Amino acid sequence: LILYFLGGRDALTSGIVNTFYREIVESWPLATGDWRHDLEVMAHHIYRAHVRYPGIANYMLSHNRHRLIQDLTAGEIDYSLLFFEKSVAAIKAIGFDAARTATFAHLIMDFIVANAHATVRHPWPGEHADFLGTRLSGLDPNKFPATHYVRENLVRLNASEAFAAGLNLIMEALEFEFHEGMK
């Protein structure tokens, strides 16, 4: 039936991905002109969308075909291109050249999708705090001093805090890269 009504699996996948991007584009946060604030809000917006639809995050991690351009019929709007335009514009607003803008846009999107995928897969230490805390607290601090040092904080680590910390590192790196490039 998929082949008959839609033309195949690729057409079905493309349509689902396009619908996903449409939801993101139509609820895109308004820009304030402060690149860092706008980029952080955008990243959280995209992250939450991927968490809501974990199959999309999984697809984006394992395939690249419909990540940027969709197979659509004449007259349909390609929301992935509109999404790409808006997300790249947020990076471009920093003031990087085209090469850095392209690279950083790709890296930031990979960070967002990978973290969303990890969020729904539940690998975060805080989600296994009882088990990890019990096992790690039983280790000899003299043999495992680094583990002992981070143990209590590690078992409290959760997805939203990890995403925020990683995003903050990226923002700091972008600011540093921009200022170093201006010298």
Side-chain angles (χ1 to χ4, degrees):
L1 290 176
I2 291 171
L3 182 60
Y4 179 78
F5 285 107
L6 300 173
R9 181 178 176 206
D10 277 346
L12 175 62
T13 301
S14 182
I16 291 168
V17 171
N18 201 46
T19 300
F20 169 75
Y21 282 130
R22 179 181 181 173
E23 181 179 310
I24 294 175
V25 168
E26 288 181 346
S27 61
W28 197 265
L30 295 175
T32 66
D34 175 351
W35 74 262
R36 183 171 180 148
H37 172 78
D38 292 345
L39 191 53
E40 287 173 345
V41 169
M42 177 201 80
H44 282 281
H45 177 67
I46 297 167
Y47 170 78
R48 286 189 305 272
H50 280 85
V51 169
R52 277 193 311 276
Y53 301 105
I56 296 287
N58 187 52
Y59 175 82
M60 295 300 177
L61 286 176
S62 57
H63 302 287
N64 203 27
R65 182 174 174 90
H66 297 292
R67 211 171 172 178
L68 178 59
I69 298 173
Q70 303 312 308
D71 294 325
L72 303 172
T73 59
E76 287 185 291
I77 297 170
D78 191 336
Y79 285 95
S80 61
L81 286 175
L82 297 175
F83 169 83
F84 184 72
E85 178 66 24
K86 287 179 173 293
S87 59
V88 170
I91 310 297
K92 184 177 180 269
I94 301 170
F96 291 120
D97 62 21
R100 283 190 174 110
T101 298
T103 299
F104 297 152
H106 181 79
L107 291 173
I108 289 168
M109 205 53 57
D110 277 354
F111 167 79
I112 294 167
V113 173
N115 272 268
H117 183 261
T119 296
V120 298
R121 303 286 293 170
H122 306 286
W124 301 102
E127 295 185 39
H128 310 282
D130 293 338
F131 173 77
L132 291 173
T134 300
R135 296 292 174 101
L136 295 177
S137 65
L139 295 175
D140 180 351
N142 294 318
K143 289 184 180 178
F144 300 95
T147 301
H148 182 71
Y149 180 72
V150 300
R151 175 179 50 87
E152 289 182 25
N153 293 293
L154 177 69
V155 299
R156 288 194 297 260
L157 187 60
N158 64 54
S160 62
E161 290 173 358
F163 180 74
L167 186 58
N168 186 57
L169 280 173
I170 290 171
M171 295 297 127
E172 293 295 321
L174 290 171
E175 235 174 269
F176 178 80
E177 178 73 16
F178 179 74
H179 293 297
E180 286 299 306
M182 297 301 284
K183 290 182 179 180

